[in-house]
Amino acid sequence: VQLVESGGGLVQPGRSVRLSCTASGFTFGDYNVNWVRQAPGKGLEWVGLIRSLGFGGTTEYAATVKGRFSISRDGSHGIAYLQMNSLKAEDTGKYYCVREDYGAYSPYFDLWGQGTLVTVSS
Amino acid sequence: AIQLTQSPSSLSASVGDRVTITCRASLGISSGLAWYQQKPGRPPKVLVYDASTLQNGVPSRFSGSGSGTAFTLTISSLQPEDFATYFCQQFDSFPVTFGGGTKVEIK
Protein backbone atom coordinates (compact mmCIF):
# COMPACT_ATOMS: atom_id res chain seq x y z
CA VAL A 1 0.00 0.00 0.00
CA GLN A 2 1.71 3.19 -1.11
CA LEU A 3 1.55 6.51 -2.91
CA VAL A 4 4.42 7.68 -5.09
CA GLU A 5 4.72 11.26 -6.32
CA SER A 6 6.69 12.35 -9.37
CA GLY A 7 7.12 15.35 -11.62
CA GLY A 8 8.87 17.82 -9.35
CA GLY A 9 11.94 19.83 -10.24
CA LEU A 10 13.15 23.34 -10.98
CA VAL A 11 10.57 25.54 -12.68
CA GLN A 12 10.73 29.19 -13.71
CA PRO A 13 8.25 31.66 -12.22
CA GLY A 14 5.10 31.92 -14.32
CA ARG A 15 5.56 28.48 -15.84
CA SER A 16 3.60 25.29 -15.27
CA VAL A 17 4.30 21.80 -14.00
CA ARG A 18 2.18 18.70 -13.45
CA LEU A 19 2.76 16.39 -10.53
CA SER A 20 1.60 12.79 -10.55
CA CYS A 21 0.63 10.54 -7.67
CA THR A 22 0.57 6.82 -8.40
CA ALA A 23 -1.28 4.58 -5.98
CA SER A 24 -0.78 0.88 -5.44
CA GLY A 25 -2.01 -1.79 -3.07
CA PHE A 26 -5.52 -0.45 -2.52
CA THR A 27 -8.64 0.50 -4.46
CA PHE A 28 -7.67 4.02 -5.44
CA GLY A 29 -11.11 5.03 -6.67
CA ASP A 30 -12.67 4.48 -3.23
CA TYR A 31 -10.67 7.25 -1.58
CA ASN A 32 -10.43 11.03 -1.58
CA VAL A 33 -6.93 12.21 -2.45
CA ASN A 34 -5.39 15.37 -1.06
CA TRP A 35 -2.26 17.36 -1.85
CA VAL A 36 -0.32 18.94 1.02
CA ARG A 37 2.83 21.01 0.63
CA GLN A 38 5.65 22.00 2.91
CA ALA A 39 8.01 24.88 2.21
CA PRO A 40 11.63 24.21 3.24
CA GLY A 41 11.89 24.28 7.03
CA LYS A 42 8.25 25.30 7.43
CA GLY A 43 4.94 23.75 8.42
CA LEU A 44 2.27 21.91 6.47
CA GLU A 45 -0.16 23.62 4.10
CA TRP A 46 -3.16 21.91 2.57
CA VAL A 47 -3.37 22.53 -1.18
CA GLY A 48 -6.56 20.76 -2.20
CA LEU A 49 -8.43 17.52 -2.66
CA ILE A 50 -10.31 15.45 -5.19
CA ARG A 51 -13.13 13.31 -3.94
CA SER A 52 -13.61 9.67 -4.73
CA LEU A 53 -15.46 8.58 -7.81
CA GLY A 54 -18.42 7.68 -5.60
CA PHE A 55 -18.64 11.31 -4.50
CA GLY A 56 -18.40 12.64 -8.02
CA GLY A 57 -14.69 13.35 -8.14
CA THR A 58 -15.32 16.96 -7.15
CA THR A 59 -12.53 19.23 -5.94
CA GLU A 60 -11.73 21.76 -3.22
CA TYR A 61 -8.75 24.14 -3.12
CA ALA A 62 -6.92 26.40 -0.74
CA ALA A 63 -7.41 30.09 -1.45
CA THR A 64 -3.68 30.50 -2.14
CA VAL A 65 -3.83 28.19 -5.17
CA LYS A 66 -7.43 28.46 -6.35
CA GLY A 67 -7.56 29.42 -10.01
CA ARG A 68 -3.92 28.42 -10.58
CA PHE A 69 -3.84 24.76 -9.51
CA SER A 70 -6.17 21.95 -10.47
CA ILE A 71 -6.46 18.36 -9.32
CA SER A 72 -7.68 15.48 -11.44
CA ARG A 73 -7.63 11.72 -11.28
CA ASP A 74 -7.40 8.77 -13.62
CA GLY A 75 -9.32 6.13 -11.74
CA SER A 76 -8.57 3.33 -14.17
CA HIS A 77 -4.83 3.74 -13.64
CA GLY A 78 -4.77 4.74 -10.00
CA ILE A 79 -3.17 8.13 -10.63
CA ALA A 80 -3.96 11.59 -9.33
CA TYR A 81 -2.54 14.76 -10.82
CA LEU A 82 -1.79 18.24 -9.55
CA GLN A 83 -1.57 20.74 -12.39
CA MET A 84 0.25 23.84 -11.22
CA ASN A 85 0.08 26.96 -13.40
CA SER A 86 1.39 30.51 -13.02
CA LEU A 87 3.91 29.34 -10.48
CA LYS A 88 5.34 31.74 -7.92
CA ALA A 89 8.42 31.56 -5.72
CA GLU A 90 6.18 30.97 -2.72
CA ASP A 91 4.94 27.74 -4.30
CA THR A 92 8.38 26.23 -3.64
CA GLY A 93 8.23 23.19 -1.41
CA LYS A 94 7.78 19.47 -1.11
CA TYR A 95 4.39 18.31 -2.37
CA TYR A 96 2.81 15.29 -0.73
CA CYS A 97 0.01 13.17 -2.11
CA VAL A 98 -2.16 11.98 0.76
CA ARG A 99 -4.97 9.47 1.12
CA GLU A 100 -7.93 10.46 3.24
CA ASP A 101 -9.70 8.05 5.54
CA TYR A 102 -12.71 8.61 7.80
CA GLY A 103 -13.03 8.45 11.54
CA ALA A 104 -16.33 8.56 13.40
CA TYR A 105 -16.30 12.37 13.41
CA SER A 106 -13.97 13.58 10.72
CA PRO A 107 -11.60 12.64 7.93
CA TYR A 108 -7.89 12.36 8.52
CA PHE A 109 -4.80 11.61 6.44
CA ASP A 110 -3.77 8.00 6.88
CA LEU A 111 -1.34 7.42 4.02
CA TRP A 112 1.30 9.84 2.74
CA GLY A 113 3.65 9.63 -0.20
CA GLN A 114 7.32 10.48 0.18
CA GLY A 115 6.77 13.80 -1.58
CA THR A 116 8.26 15.50 -4.62
CA LEU A 117 10.17 18.77 -4.44
CA VAL A 118 9.14 21.73 -6.58
CA THR A 119 11.50 24.70 -6.73
CA VAL A 120 10.25 27.86 -8.42
CA SER A 121 13.17 30.05 -9.34
CA SER A 122 14.69 31.81 -12.33
CA ALA B 1 -10.59 29.70 7.84
CA ILE B 2 -10.23 27.95 11.18
CA GLN B 3 -6.86 28.75 12.71
CA LEU B 4 -5.04 26.22 14.85
CA THR B 5 -2.56 27.56 17.41
CA GLN B 6 -0.11 25.06 18.85
CA SER B 7 1.90 25.61 21.99
CA PRO B 8 4.67 25.48 22.71
CA SER B 9 6.38 25.88 19.33
CA SER B 10 9.31 23.92 20.71
CA LEU B 11 10.30 22.15 23.89
CA SER B 12 13.27 20.31 25.34
CA ALA B 13 12.62 17.15 27.29
CA SER B 14 14.42 14.08 28.57
CA VAL B 15 13.73 10.43 27.91
CA GLY B 16 11.03 9.30 30.30
CA ASP B 17 9.43 12.74 30.66
CA ARG B 18 5.71 13.33 30.28
CA VAL B 19 5.10 15.78 27.43
CA THR B 20 1.92 17.70 26.65
CA ILE B 21 1.29 19.70 23.48
CA THR B 22 -1.73 21.97 23.14
CA CYS B 23 -3.73 22.91 20.04
CA ARG B 24 -6.40 25.60 20.15
CA ALA B 25 -8.91 26.16 17.37
CA SER B 26 -10.28 29.60 16.51
CA LEU B 27 -13.77 28.07 16.19
CA GLY B 28 -15.33 24.96 17.65
CA ILE B 29 -14.53 21.83 15.65
CA SER B 30 -16.24 19.20 17.79
CA SER B 31 -13.85 16.22 17.76
CA GLY B 32 -12.55 16.76 14.23
CA LEU B 33 -8.86 16.97 15.10
CA ALA B 34 -5.90 14.79 14.18
CA TRP B 35 -2.27 14.73 15.34
CA TYR B 36 0.73 13.90 13.18
CA GLN B 37 4.38 13.21 13.88
CA GLN B 38 7.06 14.18 11.39
CA LYS B 39 10.73 13.27 11.51
CA PRO B 40 13.35 15.07 9.36
CA GLY B 41 13.22 14.06 5.71
CA ARG B 42 10.12 11.94 6.23
CA PRO B 43 6.42 12.50 5.52
CA PRO B 44 4.08 13.04 8.47
CA LYS B 45 2.51 10.02 10.15
CA VAL B 46 -0.90 10.08 11.81
CA LEU B 47 -0.91 9.35 15.54
CA VAL B 48 -4.43 10.28 16.67
CA TYR B 49 -7.66 11.10 14.86
CA ASP B 50 -11.13 12.12 16.04
CA ALA B 51 -9.25 13.96 18.81
CA SER B 52 -8.66 10.83 20.91
CA THR B 53 -8.61 7.70 18.73
CA LEU B 54 -5.17 6.13 18.47
CA GLN B 55 -4.22 5.04 14.96
CA ASN B 56 -3.46 1.33 14.60
CA GLY B 57 0.14 0.56 15.45
CA VAL B 58 0.82 3.76 17.39
CA PRO B 59 2.29 3.10 20.86
CA SER B 60 -0.09 3.54 23.77
CA ARG B 61 2.17 6.16 25.39
CA PHE B 62 0.56 8.59 22.93
CA SER B 63 -2.90 9.91 23.76
CA GLY B 64 -5.15 12.71 22.58
CA SER B 65 -7.95 14.53 24.33
CA GLY B 66 -10.22 17.52 24.01
CA SER B 67 -13.16 18.78 22.02
CA GLY B 68 -14.53 22.07 20.76
CA THR B 69 -11.60 24.47 20.73
CA ALA B 70 -9.01 22.96 23.09
CA PHE B 71 -7.05 19.78 22.41
CA THR B 72 -3.95 18.10 23.80
CA LEU B 73 -1.51 15.45 22.68
CA THR B 74 0.26 13.71 25.54
CA ILE B 75 3.29 11.44 25.45
CA SER B 76 3.30 9.67 28.81
CA SER B 77 6.95 8.62 28.81
CA LEU B 78 9.10 10.15 26.08
CA GLN B 79 11.22 7.67 24.14
CA PRO B 80 14.28 8.39 21.95
CA GLU B 81 12.28 7.76 18.78
CA ASP B 82 9.70 10.40 19.78
CA PHE B 83 11.99 13.35 19.13
CA ALA B 84 10.26 14.91 16.16
CA THR B 85 7.86 17.69 15.15
CA TYR B 86 4.16 17.31 15.92
CA PHE B 87 1.30 18.95 14.03
CA CYS B 88 -2.42 19.17 14.73
CA GLN B 89 -4.92 19.34 11.89
CA GLN B 90 -8.62 20.10 11.55
CA PHE B 91 -10.89 18.78 8.84
CA ASP B 92 -14.12 20.14 10.28
CA SER B 93 -14.48 22.70 7.51
CA PHE B 94 -12.63 23.85 4.43
CA PRO B 95 -9.93 24.86 4.09
CA VAL B 96 -8.24 22.05 5.96
CA THR B 97 -5.71 23.68 8.29
CA PHE B 98 -2.70 22.62 10.32
CA GLY B 99 -1.16 24.01 13.46
CA GLY B 100 2.27 25.56 13.20
CA GLY B 101 4.02 22.58 14.73
CA THR B 102 5.79 21.71 17.99
CA LYS B 103 9.39 20.55 17.79
CA VAL B 104 10.32 18.16 20.59
CA GLU B 105 14.07 18.16 21.17
CA ILE B 106 16.41 16.26 23.42
CA LYS B 107 17.31 18.02 26.67
Side-chain angles (χ1 to χ4, degrees), chain A residues 38 100 103-106 109 113, chain B residues 36 38 43-44 50 89 91 94 96:
Chain A
Q38 187 168 35
E100 183 185 309
Y105 294 100
S106 181
F109 294 161
Chain B
Y36 300 85
Q38 187 179 31
D50 284 348
Q89 176 218 21
F91 215 139
F94 289 111
V96 175

Side-chain angles (χ1 to χ4, degrees), chain B residues 3-23:
Chain B
Q3 296 181 358
L4 297 179
T5 303
Q6 276 184 247
S7 60
S9 56
S10 66
L11 65 90
S12 295
S14 301
V15 172
D17 283 354
R18 181 181 182 89
V19 169
T20 298
I21 300 168
T22 297
C23 180

